[in-house]
Structures are given as C-alpha cells and as structure tokens.
Amino acid sequence: MSSDEEITTLLRKIEANQRAALDLQREHLELAKAQLERSNQSIQESIALQRSAVARQSQLTKILMPIVAILLALIVYLLFRWDIL
C-alpha cells in the first residue's frame, strides 16, 4: 500500500468518524429539545395549578373572614352580656 492510499484510507476513516460524531450530536440535540419541551410543559402545568390554588385561597378568604369576624363579635357580645369583662 502506498503512502497516498494510506492517507486516503485514513482520511476516509476520519470522515466516517466525523459523520458518526455529527449523527450523535444530532441525536443529543433532538433529545435535549424534547427534554426542554417536556420541561416547559411541566412548568406551564405547575403555573396553572398555582394560579388555581391562589384563586381558591382567595375565594375561601373572602368567605371565611366575615364568618370569623361574626364569631369574634358574638364572643365579645357574650362576654359583655355575662359580665365576664
């Protein structure tokens, strides 16, 4: 085998290795993109759940605060009525 043939063979091997490396990089890029998409979906779901929880908490606060105020007023009324204070 002559020197030119050896160089050509080596260059072909290098080219094949580079193509294989590029193929692997493409696969990794596709996997990274898919993972990023899943992560974004998970974040969006989390944000939606948090908004829902905050809305529910706000509704409960609007309902419970007047009830608590009425109960406290009744306790104070009873304390004064029974001359405890």
Side-chain angles (χ1 to χ4, degrees):
M1 206 191 259
S2 74
S3 152
D4 289 340
E5 288 177 9
E6 289 178 17
I7 292 173
T8 303
T9 303
L10 288 174
L11 287 174
R12 285 190 178 133
K13 287 181 181 180
I14 291 171
E15 181 184 19
N17 286 337
Q18 287 179 339
R19 287 182 190 207
L22 285 174
D23 289 340
L24 283 173
Q25 285 178 349
R26 280 188 202 102
E27 288 178 26
H28 288 146
L29 181 61
E30 289 174 9
L31 289 172
K33 285 180 180 178
Q35 180 63 31
L36 180 62
E37 183 62 32
R38 283 192 302 270
S39 176
N40 285 337
Q41 287 175 350
S42 178
I43 289 169
Q44 293 302 320
E45 288 175 13
S46 174
I47 290 171
L49 287 173
Q50 288 176 4
R51 285 184 179 150
S52 173
V54 168
R56 268 187 265 142
Q57 181 181 4
S58 175
Q59 288 175 342
L60 283 175
T61 302
K62 289 177 184 177
I63 293 169
L64 292 178
M65 289 308 285
I67 293 172
V68 170
I70 290 170
L71 291 174
L72 285 175
L74 287 172
I75 289 172
V76 170
Y77 168 74
L78 290 174
L79 290 174
F80 279 111
R81 180 170 172 152
W82 291 342
D83 293 326
I84 295 176
L85 287 181

